């Protein structure tokens, strides 16, 4: 009887995890899709970072990006779609957070590339973290998309 209960419990747990994994794979929400850094050799000169956001489900009207630790963003941010076409947006800074308000809401199934230029990393941190959130059309609140890590490779030859 113990073996039967153990086997039944294991089967139920496996089915539950399989269903949860399947559901999360088909979720239709904006999410972070990748990152990269383009830095020059001088540690204390500004660098450029790229973040990718995949818009899914509903249209997105704005994105907010906040650099963590001592990394400092500038207003020099450009936005492109997956076809490398520029997306019209207004960039404003609110303290340490950059707000990217799109001229037209971004349609679902669009991959956005945010090129963050002139980013200061005065402590030459080997890893930079950026928190990203979005404003979805029809919702009044911000939705956190998560924190993305960008390896800078400072100090490596």
């Amino acid at each position: 009887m113990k073996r039967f209960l153990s086997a039944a419990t294991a089967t139920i747990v496996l089915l539950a995890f399989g269903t949860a994994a399947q559901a999360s794979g088909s979720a239709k929400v904006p999410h972070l899709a990748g990152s990269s850094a383009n830095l020059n050799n001088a540690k204390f000169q500004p660098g450029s970072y790229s973040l990718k956001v995949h818009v899914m489900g509903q249209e997105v009207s704005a994105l907010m990006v906040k650099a963590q630790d001592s990394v400092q963003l500038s207003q020099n941010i450009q936005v492109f779609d997956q076809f490398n076409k520029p997306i019209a947006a207004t960039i404003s800074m609110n303290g340490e957070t950059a707000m990217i308000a799109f001229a037209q809401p971004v349609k679902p199934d669009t991959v956005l590339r945010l090129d963050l230029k002139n980013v200061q990393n005065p402590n030459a941190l080997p890893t930079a973290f950026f928190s990203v959130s979005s404003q979805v059309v029809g919702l009044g609140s911000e939705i956190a998309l998560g924190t993305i890590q960008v390896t800078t490779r400072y100090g490596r030859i």
Side-chain angles (χ1 to χ4, degrees):
M1 185 70 166
K2 273 186 171 179
R3 286 186 186 174
F4 174 73
L5 288 175
S6 295
T9 302
T11 303
I12 291 171
V13 168
L14 287 174
L15 288 174
F17 281 125
T19 305
Q22 201 173 24
S24 67
S26 63
K28 297 286 188 184
V29 294
H31 60 273
L32 299 172
S35 64
S36 64
N38 183 14
L39 309 168
N40 44 31
N41 292 330
K43 286 185 180 182
F44 301 106
Q45 292 186 8
S48 297
Y49 296 82
S50 287
L51 310 177
K52 287 187 179 178
V53 176
H54 190 176
V55 177
M56 294 184 73
Q58 294 181 308
E59 296 178 334
V60 170
S61 60
L63 292 173
M64 284 64 67
V65 179
K66 180 178 181 181
Q68 303 293 318
D69 300 321
S70 62
V71 176
Q72 301 166 353
L73 295 173
S74 76
Q75 246 180 303
N76 190 353
I77 299 174
Q78 296 174 324
V79 183
F80 299 92
D81 66 8
Q82 68 265 33
F83 305 110
N84 218 21
K85 291 182 188 172
I87 303 285
T90 303
I91 313 300
S92 60
M93 296 297 292
N94 183 7
E96 299 174 354
T97 303
M99 176 147 182
I100 304 160
F102 300 111
Q104 298 291 321
V106 178
K107 304 270 185 225
D109 296 324
T110 302
V111 177
L112 297 174
R113 186 183 83 227
L114 310 175
D115 286 347
L116 314 173
K117 301 193 185 262
N118 297 328
V119 177
Q120 299 288 330
N121 188 352
N123 296 336
L125 299 172
T127 304
F129 294 94
F130 298 95
S131 297
V132 182
S133 57
S134 67
Q135 286 185 344
V136 175
V137 173
L139 295 179
S141 62
E142 264 181 48
I143 298 173
L145 302 182
T147 301
I148 195 160
Q149 170 183 337
V150 185
T151 303
T152 61
R153 302 200 193 317
Y154 277 128
R156 297 188 183 181
I157 297 177

XYZ file of all heavy atoms in Angstrom, residues 95-149:
404
model
N 15.182 60.692 -11.148
C 16.191 60.197 -10.226
C 17.088 59.210 -10.946
O 17.728 59.537 -11.934
N 17.112 57.967 -10.489
C 17.960 56.932 -11.085
C 17.213 56.088 -12.119
O 17.771 55.161 -12.675
C 18.494 56.017 -9.984
C 19.344 56.745 -8.978
C 19.742 55.848 -7.820
O 19.273 54.693 -7.742
O 20.512 56.315 -6.982
N 15.959 56.413 -12.364
C 15.138 55.615 -13.269
C 14.908 56.351 -14.586
O 14.539 57.521 -14.598
C 13.771 55.303 -12.624
O 13.997 54.639 -11.377
C 12.922 54.432 -13.515
N 15.140 55.636 -15.690
C 14.849 56.179 -17.017
C 13.460 55.713 -17.421
O 13.152 54.523 -17.362
C 15.875 55.698 -18.026
N 12.607 56.666 -17.818
C 11.265 56.324 -18.301
C 11.263 56.501 -19.811
O 11.616 57.555 -20.331
C 10.197 57.193 -17.677
C 8.835 56.929 -18.233
S 7.602 57.166 -17.000
C 6.146 56.729 -17.900
N 10.872 55.432 -20.494
C 10.822 55.428 -21.949
C 9.349 55.359 -22.342
O 8.722 54.306 -22.244
C 11.596 54.223 -22.516
C 13.036 54.259 -21.995
C 11.553 54.210 -24.032
C 13.742 52.937 -22.062
N 8.780 56.500 -22.741
C 7.362 56.576 -23.120
C 7.275 56.526 -24.644
O 7.860 57.353 -25.339
C 6.739 57.859 -22.587
N 6.560 55.539 -25.146
C 6.464 55.348 -26.593
C 5.422 56.279 -27.197
O 4.357 56.496 -26.626
C 6.130 53.890 -26.907
C 7.156 52.937 -26.390
C 6.874 52.084 -25.347
C 8.427 52.904 -26.934
C 7.827 51.216 -24.852
C 9.393 52.049 -26.460
C 9.091 51.195 -25.411
N 5.731 56.823 -28.394
C 4.803 57.702 -29.098
C 3.528 56.939 -29.450
O 2.426 57.472 -29.350
C 5.454 58.266 -30.355
N 3.661 55.692 -29.869
C 2.537 54.793 -30.146
C 2.760 53.538 -29.313
O 3.891 53.083 -29.190
C 2.503 54.403 -31.631
C 2.309 55.557 -32.579
C 0.910 56.141 -32.449
O -0.064 55.431 -32.280
N 0.822 57.463 -32.510
N 1.703 52.964 -28.739
C 1.890 51.727 -27.972
C 2.559 50.648 -28.827
O 2.296 50.530 -30.025
C 0.471 51.318 -27.585
C -0.315 52.589 -27.632
C 0.304 53.406 -28.734
N 3.434 49.888 -28.205
C 4.155 48.817 -28.903
C 3.268 47.582 -28.948
O 2.742 47.133 -27.927
C 5.487 48.508 -28.194
C 6.215 47.370 -28.888
C 6.358 49.760 -28.145
N 3.089 47.055 -30.143
C 2.206 45.908 -30.378
C 2.813 44.619 -29.819
O 4.035 44.472 -29.758
C 1.964 45.728 -31.874
C 1.416 46.953 -32.569
C -0.067 46.952 -32.545
C -0.603 48.119 -33.365
N -1.644 48.809 -32.703
N 1.964 43.656 -29.464
C 2.463 42.346 -29.031
C 3.288 41.675 -30.130
O 3.159 41.997 -31.304
C 1.188 41.549 -28.749
C 0.155 42.585 -28.465
C 0.514 43.762 -29.335
N 4.120 40.746 -29.737
C 5.030 40.001 -30.613
C 6.123 40.888 -31.196
O 6.671 40.600 -32.254
C 4.281 39.279 -31.742
C 3.343 38.213 -31.207
O 3.699 37.562 -30.198
O 2.257 38.038 -31.775
N 6.463 41.958 -30.498
C 7.568 42.825 -30.880
C 8.700 42.619 -29.884
O 8.465 42.568 -28.688
C 7.135 44.307 -30.860
O 6.034 44.487 -31.741
C 8.279 45.221 -31.276
N 9.914 42.501 -30.395
C 11.087 42.430 -29.530
C 11.763 43.792 -29.583
O 12.179 44.242 -30.655
C 12.062 41.320 -29.973
C 13.299 41.319 -29.088
C 11.382 39.967 -29.940
N 11.839 44.457 -28.440
C 12.461 45.776 -28.355
C 13.907 45.633 -27.915
O 14.218 44.831 -27.038
C 11.720 46.651 -27.335
C 10.268 46.970 -27.644
C 9.649 47.715 -26.474
C 10.167 47.792 -28.911
N 14.777 46.421 -28.533
C 16.170 46.510 -28.079
C 16.376 47.912 -27.547
O 16.201 48.895 -28.280
C 17.138 46.224 -29.224
C 18.597 46.164 -28.737
C 19.571 45.951 -29.872
N 19.842 47.251 -30.495
C 19.826 47.489 -31.792
N 19.521 46.543 -32.640
N 20.081 48.683 -32.263
N 16.724 48.018 -26.288
C 17.004 49.301 -25.665
C 18.511 49.489 -25.650
O 19.229 48.724 -25.005
C 16.477 49.339 -24.228
C 15.031 48.904 -24.003
C 14.712 48.892 -22.524
C 14.085 49.806 -24.745
N 19.007 50.481 -26.372
C 20.438 50.794 -26.374
C 20.675 51.909 -25.367
O 20.281 53.060 -25.603
C 20.916 51.204 -27.763
C 21.012 50.031 -28.718
O 20.953 48.877 -28.253
O 21.156 50.275 -29.934
N 21.285 51.558 -24.250
C 21.595 52.508 -23.185
C 23.017 52.996 -23.413
O 23.965 52.230 -23.285
C 21.483 51.832 -21.817
C 20.248 50.972 -21.565
C 20.361 50.249 -20.239
C 18.994 51.817 -21.607
N 23.163 54.256 -23.758
C 24.490 54.801 -24.076
C 24.963 55.735 -22.969
O 24.160 56.268 -22.216
C 24.441 55.526 -25.415
C 24.011 54.596 -26.542
C 24.257 55.188 -27.886
C 23.699 54.283 -28.938
N 24.662 53.428 -29.534
N 26.270 55.945 -22.911
C 26.905 56.817 -21.910
C 26.558 56.408 -20.484
O 26.336 57.243 -19.625
C 26.553 58.288 -22.143
C 27.065 58.794 -23.465
O 28.102 58.358 -23.950
N 26.322 59.690 -24.085
N 26.524 55.118 -20.233
C 26.241 54.606 -18.891
C 27.537 54.646 -18.085
O 28.570 54.147 -18.534
C 25.684 53.170 -18.951
C 25.465 52.607 -17.560
C 24.380 53.155 -19.748
N 27.471 55.257 -16.908
C 28.636 55.379 -16.034
C 28.698 54.173 -15.098
O 27.699 53.818 -14.474
C 28.546 56.662 -15.203
C 28.509 57.935 -16.008
C 29.847 58.261 -16.642
O 30.902 57.932 -16.116
N 29.799 58.911 -17.794
N 29.873 53.570 -15.014
C 30.129 52.468 -14.091
C 31.412 52.826 -13.337
O 32.468 52.244 -13.573
C 30.268 51.157 -14.871
C 30.350 49.940 -13.979
O 30.444 50.036 -12.765
N 30.345 48.772 -14.594
N 31.331 53.814 -12.419
C 32.553 54.365 -11.817
C 33.353 53.364 -10.986
O 34.556 53.515 -10.849
C 32.036 55.511 -10.943
C 30.609 55.209 -10.708
C 30.136 54.440 -11.903
N 32.725 52.351 -10.460
C 33.449 51.356 -9.661
C 33.907 50.170 -10.503
O 34.403 49.190 -9.954
C 32.577 50.868 -8.502
C 32.264 51.989 -7.533
O 33.000 52.966 -7.437
N 31.165 51.864 -6.832
N 33.745 50.239 -11.812
C 34.126 49.173 -12.742
C 33.593 47.824 -12.262
O 34.310 46.838 -12.201
C 35.641 49.140 -12.920
N 32.304 47.803 -11.930
C 31.687 46.565 -11.467
C 31.740 45.516 -12.575
O 31.455 45.826 -13.728
C 30.238 46.822 -11.053
C 30.033 47.809 -9.903
C 28.559 48.122 -9.733
C 30.605 47.249 -8.620
N 32.076 44.271 -12.246
C 32.162 43.234 -13.279
C 30.793 42.811 -13.812
O 30.696 42.222 -14.875
C 32.847 42.076 -12.568
C 32.581 42.307 -11.129
C 32.468 43.782 -10.940
N 29.746 43.126 -13.064
C 28.392 42.788 -13.476
C 27.485 43.977 -13.186
O 27.520 44.527 -12.094
C 27.876 41.554 -12.711
O 28.784 40.485 -12.926
C 26.514 41.144 -13.192
N 26.697 44.377 -14.173
C 25.727 45.455 -13.981
C 24.329 44.842 -13.970
O 24.042 43.912 -14.714
C 25.838 46.476 -15.106
N 23.476 45.357 -13.095
C 22.103 44.882 -12.981
C 21.160 46.026 -13.332
O 21.347 47.155 -12.885
C 21.798 44.406 -11.558
C 22.574 43.180 -11.164
C 23.774 43.292 -10.485
C 22.100 41.922 -11.481
C 24.495 42.169 -10.122
C 22.806 40.789 -11.121
C 24.013 40.912 -10.438
N 20.126 45.711 -14.126
C 19.119 46.695 -14.505
C 17.748 46.117 -14.195
O 17.411 45.020 -14.650
C 19.209 47.020 -16.002
C 20.508 47.632 -16.406
C 21.542 46.844 -16.901
C 20.716 48.996 -16.295
C 22.753 47.395 -17.274
C 21.928 49.564 -16.668
C 22.949 48.759 -17.161
N 16.949 46.857 -13.431
C 15.563 46.468 -13.164
C 14.689 47.098 -14.236
O 14.836 48.287 -14.538
C 15.107 46.960 -11.788
O 15.881 46.350 -10.789
N 13.785 46.308 -14.797
C 12.935 46.786 -15.888
C 11.481 46.531 -15.519
O 11.129 45.463 -15.024
C 13.271 46.074 -17.218
C 12.428 46.617 -18.357
C 14.755 46.196 -17.542
N 10.653 47.532 -15.751
C 9.208 47.371 -15.565
C 8.505 48.008 -16.748
O 9.106 48.738 -17.530
C 8.751 47.980 -14.237
O 9.114 49.337 -14.159
N 7.214 47.705 -16.893
C 6.473 48.205 -18.048
C 5.129 48.767 -17.621
O 4.638 48.465 -16.545
C 6.253 47.084 -19.069
O 5.383 46.113 -18.538
N 4.562 49.576 -18.493
C 3.190 50.034 -18.354
C 2.418 49.457 -19.529
O 2.733 49.738 -20.681
C 3.097 51.559 -18.350
C 3.573 52.180 -17.075
C 3.354 53.681 -17.048
O 3.121 54.314 -18.070
N 3.448 54.249 -15.871
N 1.452 48.637 -19.203
C 0.639 47.985 -20.216
C -0.588 48.847 -20.472
O -1.167 49.418 -19.539
C 0.234 46.567 -19.741
C -0.717 45.909 -20.713
C 1.478 45.712 -19.551
N -0.975 48.968 -21.730
C -2.153 49.751 -22.100
C -3.369 49.165 -21.386
O -3.599 47.950 -21.409
C -2.357 49.746 -23.632
C -3.667 50.419 -24.010
C -1.184 50.425 -24.318
N -4.132 50.022 -20.723
C -5.339 49.584 -20.031
C -5.143 49.312 -18.550
O -6.110 49.170 -17.818
N -3.885 49.218 -18.103
C -3.616 49.024 -16.679
C -3.015 50.295 -16.115
O -2.186 50.934 -16.753
C -2.653 47.856 -16.449
C -3.152 46.476 -16.826
C -2.057 45.438 -16.566
C -4.386 46.105 -16.017
N -3.394 50.648 -14.916
C -2.900 51.886 -14.325
C -1.607 51.737 -13.562
O -1.011 52.726 -13.173
N -1.125 50.523 -13.350
C 0.071 50.345 -12.527
C 1.225 49.765 -13.334
O 1.043 49.230 -14.423
C -0.247 49.428 -11.350
O -0.632 48.162 -11.824
N 2.423 49.882 -12.750
C 3.623 49.319 -13.357
C 3.663 47.820 -13.136
O 3.246 47.328 -12.101
C 4.860 49.898 -12.659
C 5.480 51.062 -13.327
C 6.715 51.544 -12.578
O 7.589 50.727 -12.221
O 6.792 52.754 -12.358
N 4.185 47.104 -14.114
C 4.374 45.664 -13.984
C 5.876 45.401 -14.042
O 6.520 45.725 -15.044
C 3.665 44.895 -15.108
C 2.172 45.131 -15.044
C 3.993 43.413 -15.035
C 1.411 44.555 -16.203
N 6.420 44.830 -12.983
C 7.840 44.510 -12.945
C 8.119 43.345 -13.890
O 7.473 42.306 -13.820
C 8.260 44.164 -11.529
N 9.088 43.545 -14.786
C 9.484 42.474 -15.701
C 10.652 41.679 -15.132
O 10.901 40.570 -15.561
C 9.865 43.051 -17.063
C 8.797 43.866 -17.776
C 9.299 44.319 -19.133
C 7.510 43.090 -17.911
N 11.372 42.283 -14.195
C 12.479 41.588 -13.551
C 13.755 42.398 -13.600
O 13.781 43.548 -14.005
N 14.821 41.751 -13.157
C 16.149 42.350 -13.159
C 17.027 41.540 -14.091
O 17.037 40.311 -14.029
C 16.741 42.365 -11.732
O 15.876 43.116 -10.888
C 18.130 42.979 -11.715
N 17.741 42.233 -14.949
C 18.607 41.548 -15.909
C 20.062 41.851 -15.574
O 20.393 42.962 -15.160
C 18.244 41.937 -17.360
C 18.871 40.983 -18.339
C 18.609 43.362 -17.654
C 18.210 40.969 -19.695
N 20.889 40.857 -15.716
C 22.311 40.947 -15.397
C 23.112 41.062 -16.681
O 22.896 40.307 -17.624
C 22.716 39.690 -14.641
C 24.196 39.515 -14.439
C 24.521 38.200 -13.752
O 23.692 37.635 -13.071
N 25.719 37.721 -13.955
